[in-house]
Amino acid sequence: QVQLVESGGGSVQSGGSLRLSCEVSGYTDSRYCMGWFRQAPGKERERVAFIDGDGRRIYADSVKGRFIISQDNAKNTLYLQMNSLKPEDTATYFCAAARMYYCPGSANFFNYWGQGTQVTVSS
């Protein structure tokens, strides 16, 4: 059974940093797409950052230059380093994995999801 468990969320002031972790169990195929979505209250789920099967990193324009996605295959863990946080980054962040080499454009194609971790950025 595949499980994704996020951790590392919390509250931080504007300009601060947080690092999210997503521990994966049940499969360890680094060729699959993995990444992060976020959802704020009353808003649609938003793509944040992804790593596809050949290690290419993809970022939403809203986080480019501030967030860094990485993975440690030995630890089966995906990370999201979030720097220069803004109040508009406040959301529940979800780790997700798709059984596809290249990351799909739609959340509907992601097969596995974590339970989410809350990030709150105050001004």
Side-chain angles (χ1 to χ4, degrees):
Q1 181 179 357
V2 177
Q3 287 191 317
L4 281 64
V5 180
E6 303 100 334
S7 61
S11 297
V12 65
Q13 288 193 329
S14 182
S17 298
L18 284 173
R19 188 175 81 156
L20 305 183
S21 299
C22 173
E23 187 171 347
V24 182
S25 61
Y27 87 88
T28 58
D29 196 332
S30 62
R31 296 172 299 170
Y32 291 159
C33 166
M34 292 198 65
W36 296 90
F37 290 82
R38 67 185 181 187
Q39 188 166 19
K43 294 189 176 182
E44 293 187 354
R45 190 164 294 190
E46 178 186 13
R47 294 166 59 88
V48 178
F50 301 89
I51 297 179
D52 64 17
D54 61 10
R56 184 174 62 116
R57 289 159 171 77
I58 306 154
Y59 296 97
D61 287 343
S62 58
V63 307
K64 207 171 286 184
R66 299 188 298 122
F67 290 11
I68 300 171
I69 188 171
S70 62
Q71 62 185 24
D72 184 333
N73 292 331
K75 296 182 179 179
N76 296 328
T77 303
L78 182 73
Y79 301 101
L80 185 67
Q81 177 67 43
M82 305 186 294
N83 302 319
S84 303
L85 282 161
K86 304 175 182 179
E88 51 263 44
D89 294 318
T90 295
T92 300
Y93 284 70
F94 298 90
C95 174
R99 291 195 305 263
M100 300 173 72
Y101 192 82
Y102 293 112
C103 292
S106 170
N108 293 334
F109 291 100
F110 281 78
N111 306 96
Y112 309 107
W113 292 84
Q115 81 288 351
T117 186
Q118 178 67 36
V119 171
T120 303
V121 185
S122 58
S123 57

